[in-house]
Amino acid sequence: MMRRAAVLAVLALAAPAGAEPKSGIHYQAPETRALQADDFANPGMLWVERGEGMWRAADLPGGRSCASCHGNAADSMRAVAARYPAFDGQAGRVVDLEGRINLCRTVRAGGLELERESDALLALTAFVAHQSRGLAVSVRVDGPAQASFEAGRTLFETRFGQLNLACRHCHVDNAGRMLRGDRISEAMPNGYPLYRLDWQKLASLQRRLRTCFAGVRAEPFAYGAQELVDLSLYLAARANGLAIETPGVRR
Amino acid sequence: MATIRARLPAQARPGETVQVRALIQHPMETGFRRDEAGRAFPRNILKDFTCSYDGAVVFRAEFFPAVAADPFLAFHFVATRSGDVVLSWTEDTGKVFSQTLKIDVT
């Protein structure tokens, strides 16, 4: 009995991620956690406010805005971010929230696409995702999204770059341990877009993923690449059940 | 266009110390960063912040390039009478961002 308990204890140490996923904020310094928790001081809220202005800005053809079709975002966009990335029937592929916003702007409203990682797209995405704050991530990985989910998992498990590391080597096998000055998170995407103090601005999940690829000295996939969307879907599926925190704050 | 978030208790008693919290969206470009072609991004920071209330400057701050983007300030003053509390930030370019808050002192 004692021996079995010891074996279990070793197993628990070997898998610090455990069964319950932990949000990335769990691994941040107390000051950073306090900043995220304070809705006034959280610098990500600047983008949410700006996004709220864009929601109502009539910059789409015919003098329309997001609000012309979708009305009050607190009702219409509630829980939407929790479902993304998701399969889009019209596009015939899995799209992330940024991709969905751009499809809406171009295909449905006939307007112009917002550039990835532009302040405008970040602000609008943050505003939309903020409407789901506190709700559980709940992406679907069955049906038409399954192929994308599997592709994401393959990417997560594939070694990349000169350092020859897969995502899992840091974010599963060593989650919770120190990597230089940082504690390694479990790669849970429930706070995006989030404010990185390091970058002094709001950042998308794709920017974070590209930086990780550069970190292992691999050539990052381009912004908007399907590979990044597939990987985002896999990460979101791992985070299913975690509360959305947008806008998060990280070192 | 800069997004400003500023808070102040709406009401206070005379002689009470109140806290102002102000957050402004600004890149605070240091002038030391360079683009891919090696050209420096021109320096563009908020140089100066003042808070005026009841005919006097109650708080003033000078910023330098080491201050991070989106600077956050929290400070106190003693409430004396009802009126406007004017917050203003001056940029390198001379542009002024300002916001007026109201305080009711009874």
Side-chain angles (χ1 to χ4, degrees):
Chain A
M1 203 60 191
M2 283 284 280
R3 186 181 289 169
R4 181 177 288 174
V7 169
L8 284 176
V10 168
L11 282 175
L13 278 178
E20 289 289 307
K22 286 201 192 77
S23 166
I25 194 67
H26 174 81
Y27 296 105
Q28 293 290 309
E31 297 84 352
T32 314
R33 296 165 68 156
L35 194 58
Q36 176 173 310
D38 183 344
D39 268 356
F40 181 82
N42 181 340
M45 293 302 282
L46 288 167
W47 268 266
V48 171
E49 256 176 44
R50 184 167 167 176
E52 189 176 7
M54 292 184 57
W55 180 261
R56 280 192 278 271
D59 66 335
L60 292 166
R64 285 182 304 159
S65 66
C66 303
S68 313
C69 293
H70 297 287
N72 183 6
D75 304 323
S76 64
M77 291 296 122
R78 189 181 144 82
V80 167
R83 291 191 276 112
Y84 279 84
F87 185 80
D88 187 275
Q90 224 172 359
R93 58 187 161 84
V94 169
V95 295
D96 58 4
L97 191 57
E98 284 92 340
R100 184 67 189 78
I101 288 171
N102 267 336
L103 280 176
C104 202
R105 289 179 60 88
T106 53
V107 178
R108 312 220 171 166
L112 290 174
E113 192 171 88
L114 296 171
E115 200 188 332
R116 286 260 175 187
E117 218 54 28
S118 61
D119 280 346
L121 185 57
L122 286 170
L124 198 50
T125 311
F127 173 67
V128 170
H130 184 64
Q131 309 308 318
S132 305
R133 189 164 69 161
L135 303 175
V137 177
S138 51
V139 294
R140 294 191 59 173
V141 296
D142 53 351
Q146 198 185 349
S148 172
F149 170 76
E150 299 292 350
R153 172 155 60 196
T154 305
L155 285 165
F156 191 83
E157 303 284 346
T158 304
R159 289 178 183 270
F160 277 94
Q162 289 181 318
L163 299 190
N164 205 26
L165 289 170
C167 308
R168 71 162 300 116
H169 292 130
C170 289
H171 295 288
V172 177
D173 298 350
N174 287 296
R177 299 171 84 175
M178 298 301 285
L179 175 64
R180 297 163 68 186
D182 283 320
R183 214 165 265 289
I184 302 171
S185 78
E186 296 170 21
M188 296 296 163
N190 55 317
Y192 284 90
L194 53 73
Y195 195 93
R196 263 194 86 81
L197 298 169
D198 193 11
W199 296 339
Q200 306 201 7
K201 66 178 301 201
L202 207 72
S204 68
L205 178 57
Q206 294 210 347
R207 180 169 178 194
R208 175 63 262 182
L209 294 176
R210 279 168 51 88
T211 308
C212 265
F213 278 108
V216 297
R217 301 189 198 159
E219 189 174 330
F221 294 105
Y223 276 117
Q226 195 58 34
E227 286 88 348
L228 292 182
V229 178
D230 294 344
L231 190 50
S232 306
L233 176 62
Y234 179 66
L235 296 180
R238 289 171 77 239
N240 266 349
L242 273 183
I244 289 183
E245 294 168 6
T246 309
V249 179
R250 298 290 182 274
R251 182 197 73 86
Chain B
M1 184 201 75
T3 311
I4 297 172
R5 286 162 69 76
R7 292 285 152 79
L8 178 71
Q11 275 157 8
R13 296 170 188 288
E16 191 183 331
T17 304
V18 293
Q19 189 190 38
V20 183
R21 304 207 293 165
L23 181 62
I24 182 169
Q25 187 168 32
H26 195 278
M28 296 296 277
E29 187 61 61
T30 60
F32 300 125
R33 271 189 341 131
R34 284 166 191 279
D35 65 11
E36 280 124 4
R39 290 175 300 249
F41 291 103
R43 190 183 109 156
N44 181 20
I45 64 167
L46 297 168
K47 283 193 301 193
D48 196 60
F49 169 82
T50 53
C51 173
S52 323
Y53 164 64
D54 195 11
V57 172
V58 291
F59 183 87
R60 183 165 172 270
E62 209 177 325
F63 291 143
F64 296 92
V67 175
D70 310 326
F72 171 75
L73 285 169
F75 55 92
H76 299 82
F77 66 83
V78 176
T80 48
R81 66 172 80 174
S82 299
D84 290 347
V85 178
V86 183
L87 311 176
S88 67
W89 291 259
T90 312
E91 200 179 62
D92 267 337
T93 58
K95 202 164 154 189
V96 177
F97 304 97
S98 86
Q99 179 131 332
T100 304
L101 303 170
K102 295 221 182 293
I103 187 165
D104 190 12
V105 180
T106 46

